[in-house]
């Protein structure tokens, strides 16, 4: 039996942070960064690996290979090490150095793509490399998080029911869109629930997921350069796009209040607060999913030179002013 797995009832000990005191708007943040892999991606990784084993795709001597901006790579590194598989993570130059070192410490190989595909960007280039790797050796097994139904089933089975149990009167759920596994799993669950829940997807400006124009995206996690095959927009009620500068501000504002979260969480919180400012009169029960914590982003999102070089010297001025106002209130 695997040392690392995600059984039924995973994460029964919930941790939610109400952001009312920080942003002046009630939003319960479901913190997913406290499992062994440090992110929500452990659920999808476990589901996909176990399905591949049941289907006979993974056997002794197999080598897992996956394209990942970081968190899924860490989760697969841990699972591969515990089960005796090899693992190759194909990432790109935007991934955090701390994340790459963590995967290597767990015995995985990390291949870094430095040139984007002219059409598909870095994601397209990463996928092309994975395909070429698999064609070169039958031992390589690509789980393909972008098309694998185990990606969304993990959240249909665990994440969404946990939220429903904790918030039986839930009105709005905010979910970041990357591969859209978390989004689709939660949206499918709540479509079948006993009361309507508005599903608001949060995406990054520059992502093509919901038909937007491609653009520069430097913060890994959310957004894609290739439309996710898992996405079914009929399950999504609204989409909010967030500029990366606003992601940075939200992350730092949370940190100034004692909560260190990753870039994806900053994007989701920024988008959720923007939506709530327009729609909530104080009577909505709202939850957002925070995929990970912020330690892996200390050299990027929380590093002043990196932030100033990419987003300008004054990008954090508003966040500092608002945080100071919250503390004095």
């Amino acid at each position: 039996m695997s040392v690392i797995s995600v059984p039924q009832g995973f994460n029964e000990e919930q941790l939610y942070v109400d952001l009312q005191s920080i942003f002046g708007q009630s939003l319960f943040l479901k913190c997913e960064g406290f499992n062994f892999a440090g992110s929500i991606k452990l659920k999808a990784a476990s589901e996909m690996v176990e399905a591949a084993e049941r289907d006979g795709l993974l056997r002794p001597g197999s080598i897992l290979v996956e394209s990942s901006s970081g968190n899924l790579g860490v989760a697969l590194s841990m699972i591969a090490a515990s089960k005796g598989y090899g693992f190759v993570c194909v990432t790109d130059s935007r991934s955090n150095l701390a994340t790459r070192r963590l995967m290597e410490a767990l015995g995985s190989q990390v291949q870094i793509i430095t040139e984007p595909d002219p059409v598909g960007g870095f994601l397209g280039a990463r996928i092309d490399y994975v395909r070429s790797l698999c064609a070169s050796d039958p031992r390589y097994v690509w789980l393909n998080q972008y098309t694998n139904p185990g990606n969304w089933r993990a959240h249909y089975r665990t994440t969404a029911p946990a939220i429903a149990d904790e918030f039986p009167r839930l009105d709005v759920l905010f979910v970041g869109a990357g591969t859209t596994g978390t989004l689709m799993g939660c949206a499918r669950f709540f479509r079948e629930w006993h009361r309507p829940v508005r599903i608001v997807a949060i995406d990054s400006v520059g992502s093509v997921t919901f038909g937007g124009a491609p653009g520069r995206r430097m913060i890994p996690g959310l957004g894609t350069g290739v439309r996710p095959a898992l996405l079914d927009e009929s399950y999504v009620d609204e989409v909010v796009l967030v500029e990366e500068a606003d992601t940075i501000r939200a992350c730092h504002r949370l940190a100034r209040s004692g909560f260190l979260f990753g870039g994806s969480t900053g994007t989701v919180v920024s988008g959720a607060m923007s939506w709530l400012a327009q729609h909530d009169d104080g009577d909505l029960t709202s939850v957002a999913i925070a995929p990970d914590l912020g330690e892996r982003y200390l050299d990027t999102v929380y590093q002043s030179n990196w932030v100033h070089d990419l987003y300008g010297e004054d990008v954090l001025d508003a966040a500092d002013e608002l945080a100071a106002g919250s503390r004095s209130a």
Side-chain angles (χ1 to χ4, degrees):
M1 188 174 78
S2 170
V3 175
I4 300 174
S5 62
V6 184
Q8 189 70 32
F10 173 81
N11 201 25
E12 291 181 358
E13 293 298 325
Q14 305 292 326
L15 176 59
Y16 295 86
V17 175
D18 188 356
L19 302 183
Q20 171 77 49
S21 63
I22 303 173
F23 291 90
Q25 177 72 59
S26 181
L27 175 67
F28 291 94
L29 196 60
K30 187 179 192 302
C31 305
E32 290 280 354
F34 292 98
N35 59 52
F36 282 111
S39 83
I40 196 171
K41 289 292 189 177
L42 180 60
K43 298 177 182 180
S46 181
E47 187 90 14
M48 292 189 294
V49 167
E50 290 173 7
E53 289 176 329
R54 289 193 302 269
D55 293 343
L57 299 176
L58 281 173
R59 299 178 295 275
S62 291
I63 303 172
L64 288 165
V65 58
E66 186 58 86
S67 160
S68 170
S69 61
N71 283 334
L72 183 70
V74 172
L76 286 173
S77 292
M78 298 187 73
I79 292 172
S82 74
K83 290 175 173 284
Y85 300 124
F87 175 53
V88 178
C89 181
V90 181
T91 188
D92 60 63
S93 53
R94 299 170 301 175
S95 67
N96 298 317
L97 178 60
T99 301
R100 302 202 302 261
R101 286 178 171 171
L102 179 54
M103 288 188 281
E104 290 170 343
L106 291 165
S108 300
Q109 298 180 43
V110 180
Q111 296 290 336
I112 302 171
I113 302 300
T114 58
E115 293 295 330
D117 180 83
V119 177
F122 277 112
L123 177 56
R126 279 161 34 188
I127 291 174
D128 286 346
Y129 185 88
V130 170
R131 286 181 174 139
S132 67
L133 202 61
C134 291
S136 70
D137 191 328
R139 293 178 301 165
Y140 288 111
V141 177
W142 182 23
L143 296 175
N144 195 354
Q145 62 167 325
Y146 309 105
T147 63
N148 194 317
N151 191 346
W152 67 261
R153 285 176 184 155
H155 304 289
Y156 180 92
R157 187 174 66 84
T158 62
T159 308
I163 294 171
D165 287 345
E166 189 73 19
F167 297 93
R169 302 296 298 173
L170 179 66
D171 295 304
V172 187
L173 179 64
F174 299 95
V175 188
T179 65
T180 69
T182 307
L183 174 64
M184 287 294 97
C186 291
R188 289 173 187 271
F189 177 90
F190 282 110
R191 177 66 62 86
E192 301 168 1
W193 207 34
H194 66 89
R195 67 191 305 268
V197 173
R198 181 166 287 278
I199 303 297
V200 180
I202 311 296
D203 197 13
S204 301
V205 171
S207 167
V208 305
T209 298
F210 295 97
R216 185 190 76 166
R217 291 179 296 107
M218 300 303 298
I219 301 174
L222 300 186
T224 62
V226 179
R227 180 181 168 88
L230 295 177
L231 177 62
D232 183 343
E233 290 190 61
S234 68
Y235 287 93
V236 178
D237 295 298
E238 293 183 56
V239 178
V240 177
L241 298 180
V242 177
E243 296 278 0
E244 284 195 334
D246 291 325
T247 293
I248 296 291
R249 294 184 188 102
C251 285
H252 281 256
R253 190 169 175 187
L254 286 162
R256 299 293 192 275
S257 299
F259 299 104
L260 194 72
F261 287 106
S264 296
T265 299
T267 303
V268 171
V269 168
S270 178
M273 287 302 170
S274 175
W275 189 94
L276 289 169
Q278 300 178 47
H279 297 86
D280 188 12
D281 293 327
D283 58 348
L284 293 179
T285 299
S286 305
V287 172
I289 297 175
D292 61 4
L293 300 179
E295 291 92 337
R296 296 172 189 171
Y297 302 83
L298 294 177
D299 292 330
T300 54
V301 171
Y302 296 102
Q303 211 282 330
S304 59
N305 290 337
W306 187 89
V307 170
H308 292 158
D309 287 347
L310 289 173
Y311 305 104
E313 292 287 336
D314 60 349
V315 65
L316 295 177
D317 290 351
D320 292 337
E321 291 172 5
L322 288 168
S326 298
R327 287 192 296 269
S328 62

